[in-house]
Every structure is written in structure tokens, then in C-alpha cells.
Amino acid sequence: GVHVSMSTVAVATGQRMEELHADAGARYLCSPVFGRPPVAAAGQLRIAQSGDPEAKRRVAPLFAAFAQGVVDFGEAPGAANAVKLAGNAMIASAIETMAESCALVEKSGIDRVAFMELLAGSLFDCPVYKGYGMAIAERRFLPAGFRMVRGLKDVTLALEAAHAVGVPMPIASLVRDRLMASVAKGRGELDWAALDKAVSEDAGL
């Protein structure tokens, strides 16, 4: 059989799972996704994939039913897991940057919503800035699309993967610490865009 893992897990977990499946005569495919549930419902997920070529061939028709694209990252064990964690670290870093920038304009007497509408509709016209940017600007953190406690888990796993291959990630480290402090303050069930709360507090807002 083929075990398709679409979860966000540690690179080491993906590697170990591939070993265990190979020992059992089965195939394991790392296939983490980018996209929230509404994106999945619309059949617009993006999938990062790595693992056995025959497993990829067998699941291709399944993926075609609910994803708009699959990017193949080869056969190296856990490769797609590294891609997913790196991507989530980028999202977390963008959230921190947007929160800091909103704090700057607000303390300068500027409407933070108008500011983000300008940026999300021009220089940063993409889902992350449009979605999280407007949530940050308007301080909309519930209902949570991606809970802060899950963001903490993912950024921590990204840093573990970075440590394993000797890559410093100072921005991700800063965001991990903000997430950890926010969870400790009881904000773990808020959307991770609520990092803005910590940034605003530091700015005296």
C-alpha cells in the first residue's frame, strides 16, 4: 500500500516513517499541503511532494481531484516536510513584519487598515498579505484559521530542521519566542496573526 502523509511534521519524522514503511514492504509519501480548508474545498491546494516514484504515480489521480498543483522535490526522505516547514516559517516571519509595520504607521497617526489595503493591493498582492495582513490591520483574530499553538509547533520544527543542517534562522527564532510568550499568556487558541498583540504591546498601543 501507499501511506500518504499530508501533515506538517518534523523532517526527522518523515525520514523515520519512510524507513519503517520500507521495512514493512509499503510505500510512504511525504505530501504536505499549502492552503486552508476553504482552499481545499475549492480544489486549489498546492502540494509539496517527495518520496518513492511509484507511489507518486499511483496517487496522482487522487491529488488531481483536490489540488491545483503538485511540486515534486525528489526522492530524499523528508524533503517535502522541510519545504512545508520552511514555507510556514516564511508565513510567520511575514506576520511579524506586517504587525511591526502596522504598529509603525498607527503610532505615526496613520490608518493601519488603509495602509494594509494599499500594500496588499500593490507590492504584496498575494494571499498571505491579503489574508493575514487585513486580519492584523483590523485586529481580527477569531475565529482562528490557524491557531497560534499550531504556529508555535511549526516554527519550532522549522528551527529543529535548521539546526540539523546548520542553518541559522534568527527571524524564525524571534517569531518562535513571540509565539511561545503569547501561548504562555493564554492566546494559544487565537489565530497566529494575533502576534500583532505582542507587537502592539511592545509599541505601547
Side-chain angles (χ1 to χ4, degrees):
V2 178
H3 176 178
V4 180
S5 173
M6 309 190 85
S7 301
T8 304
V9 300
V11 175
T13 300
Q15 293 169 340
R16 180 60 177 148
M17 290 294 283
E18 290 202 38
E19 293 174 2
L20 291 171
H21 281 72
D23 290 345
R27 291 181 168 91
Y28 178 85
L29 199 58
C30 295
S31 304
V33 301
F34 288 95
R36 287 185 168 186
V39 177
Q44 298 296 304
L45 286 175
R46 295 279 186 174
I47 299 175
Q49 182 176 258
S50 65
D52 180 79
E54 174 59 17
K56 294 172 186 173
R57 185 192 67 76
R58 290 173 60 183
V59 303
L62 176 65
F63 286 170
F66 64 87
Q68 68 169 329
V70 177
V71 179
D72 192 338
F73 289 94
E75 299 180 37
N81 296 131
V83 169
K84 173 62 174 175
L85 293 172
N88 279 12
M90 289 176 68
I91 295 171
S93 299
I95 289 171
E96 172 72 19
T97 299
M98 288 184 280
E100 291 178 9
S101 298
C102 281
L104 169 60
V105 297
E106 183 176 351
K107 289 212 74 172
S108 301
I110 298 163
D111 185 335
R112 59 192 276 148
V113 174
F115 163 75
M116 190 53 67
E117 287 175 342
L118 169 65
L119 272 296
S122 56
L123 294 177
F124 301 102
D125 187 3
C126 65
V128 169
Y129 275 79
K130 283 187 170 181
Y132 289 118
M134 293 312 300
I136 289 167
E138 297 171 357
R139 295 190 168 98
R140 289 185 286 104
F141 310 128
L142 286 172
F146 191 78
R147 293 179 298 133
M148 192 171 289
V149 67
R150 293 178 62 193
L152 173 59
K153 182 265 292 184
D154 288 359
V155 175
T156 300
L157 291 179
L159 287 168
E160 289 176 2
H163 178 75
V165 293
V167 175
M169 296 183 73
I171 296 175
S173 295
L174 173 118
V175 175
R176 186 266 319 276
D177 290 348
R178 277 211 194 274
L179 287 164
M180 189 178 297
S182 295
V183 170
K185 291 176 181 178
R187 298 172 180 167
E189 297 304 307
L190 298 179
D191 192 277
W192 63 340
L195 273 179
D196 174 72
K197 284 181 172 287
V199 174
S200 292
E201 287 168 358
D202 286 352
L205 292 169

